[in-house]
Amino acid sequence: MAVASYPTNCITLLSSVKTKYSISCSMQQPSPSNFKVVINGAAKEIGRAAVVAITRARGMEVAGAVDTRFLGQDIGQLCDMEDPLEIPIINDLTMVLGSISQSKATGVVIDFTDPSTVYDNVKQATAFGMKSVVYVPRIKPDTITALSALCDKATTGCLVAPTLSIGSILLQQAAIQAAFHYNNVEIVESSSTATDLPSPDAIQIANNLSNLGQIYNREDLSTDVLARGQVVGEDGVRVHSLVLPGLPSSTSVHFSGPGEVYTLKHDITDVQSLMPGLILAIRKVVRLKNLVYGLEKFL
């Protein structure tokens, strides 16, 4: 969904299988200078890709790299950039935030860490007057609630993104539209590794469809045959996960009706596919005054 402009006050909705969160947000104008971006989890594959993408983007720059690995190494060299960025990797988020806060520049912390550390990381960023973009799979609803309360109290922005893939978001939106016209649906995903299955993307799609209040696959809704896949949500949406070395990360949603099958598919072949969404998230979060769940709010 494309939106030409954003109102001063808006209402965003965070939903999960059983719980719904109503989160208000409002916008403010950022400083005209470059955004100072700190990457927490900078040594990960996605962190290194983010360093390159942010360095190339207009209006922002990498100002800090935090990780527990490759301590002391220049983040530019770790990312195989032509020139070093003269930014060493350190394992002290507070030190980096304190340095940036003294410059009075608009700061954003990108969190690629772990569900168990997200709240404390955002709390630290908030204490230094900085916004946060969180891309950490499987954050618990209780953590989202606590983060929302924290951001409301501090009047600061935080964007929690279950996915940074714009293609994945478009797939989710198309699946919701299709679900109003079909009573049978199954999700098939593939991956080269057997971690995090069903994937966060598959779970999000299944939850979105379940929240529509429609019962799917009534003919074998109660089957206990394991080969039929795992039911995610409460309305009969099944997820099948295929794992083989060399497979791309792929998600397909198959709908069927009398005499037809309708399939939506999205493939991710490289972490670079997440970078346009990340840059968009950085540009949007600096205008927020509290928490927004889902990058789709800005598409």
Side-chain angles (χ1 to χ4, degrees):
M1 181 182 297
V3 181
S5 61
Y6 298 95
T8 301
N9 297 292
C10 61
I11 299 297
T12 60
L13 181 64
L14 161 63
S15 59
S16 62
V17 182
K18 296 182 179 180
T19 310
K20 293 185 178 180
Y21 304 91
S22 181
I23 301 173
S24 63
C25 69
S26 55
M27 304 293 186
Q28 63 185 11
Q29 294 300 320
S31 168
S33 61
N34 280 1
F35 309 146
K36 306 293 185 182
V37 182
V38 177
I39 302 174
N40 195 0
K44 295 183 178 182
E45 181 184 13
I46 188 172
R48 298 195 302 271
V51 169
V52 176
I54 292 167
T55 301
R56 293 174 177 173
R58 292 185 299 173
M60 61 186 71
E61 60 185 82
V62 177
V66 180
D67 210 298
T68 57
R69 300 178 297 155
F70 304 102
L71 297 179
Q73 186 168 338
D74 183 89
I75 188 60
Q77 292 179 331
L78 182 64
C79 298
D80 296 323
M81 300 179 69
E82 291 185 7
D83 300 312
L85 294 180
E86 299 183 355
I87 299 174
I89 300 174
I90 67 173
N91 188 23
D92 191 334
L93 178 60
T94 302
M95 180 183 295
V96 176
L97 298 179
S99 176
I100 296 173
S101 66
Q102 293 177 5
S103 69
K104 306 299 182 181
T106 300
V108 178
V109 179
I110 311 299
D111 197 326
F112 295 135
T113 58
D114 183 85
S116 64
T117 63
V118 164
Y119 181 84
D120 288 338
N121 294 340
V122 175
K123 186 176 181 179
Q124 286 191 64
T126 300
F128 285 95
M130 299 185 192
K131 312 299 178 73
S132 296
V133 174
V134 178
Y135 177 63
V136 177
R138 300 185 186 281
I139 300 178
K140 294 181 179 180
D142 289 347
T143 302
I144 303 295
T145 302
L147 285 174
S148 179
L150 171 68
C151 293
D152 283 343
K153 183 176 180 180
T155 319
T156 193
C158 177
L159 173 57
V160 179
T163 182
L164 290 171
S165 167
I166 293 176
S168 177
I169 293 172
L170 294 175
L171 173 65
Q172 293 176 23
Q173 293 175 340
I176 290 173
Q177 293 180 347
F180 290 105
H181 305 283
Y182 297 96
N183 295 323
N184 299 292
V185 57
E186 304 218 352
I187 300 169
V188 179
E189 62 177 353
S190 67
S191 175
S192 60
T193 60
T195 58
D196 278 342
L197 296 177
S199 70
D201 282 355
I203 292 174
Q204 184 67 46
I205 295 170
N207 288 344
N208 288 345
L209 300 183
S210 292
N211 287 334
L212 299 178
Q214 180 169 315
I215 304 298
Y216 306 95
N217 310 317
R218 292 177 180 272
E219 294 182 0
D220 66 345
L221 184 63
S222 61
T223 183
D224 57 358
V225 177
L226 295 180
R228 288 291 294 113
Q230 177 181 341
V231 175
V232 178
E234 301 176 341
D235 299 324
V237 180
R238 296 181 181 274
V239 177
H240 308 262
S241 300
L242 175 64
V243 179
L244 286 173
L247 283 178
S249 177
S250 177
T251 304
S252 299
V253 186
H254 301 270
F255 296 91
S256 72
E260 66 173 337
V261 174
Y262 177 55
T263 300
L264 301 167
K265 185 178 182 182
H266 176 244
D267 296 335
I268 292 179
T269 59
D270 191 273
V271 71
Q272 293 296 330
S273 65
L274 306 181
M275 294 304 104
L278 176 64
I279 299 302
L280 176 63
I282 294 171
R283 297 195 191 283
K284 296 303 182 181
V285 77
V286 297
R287 299 176 180 272
L288 296 177
K289 290 186 176 181
N290 51 14
L291 185 143
V292 172
Y293 185 89
L295 185 61
E296 65 272 13
K297 307 299 190 304
F298 303 108
L299 293 184

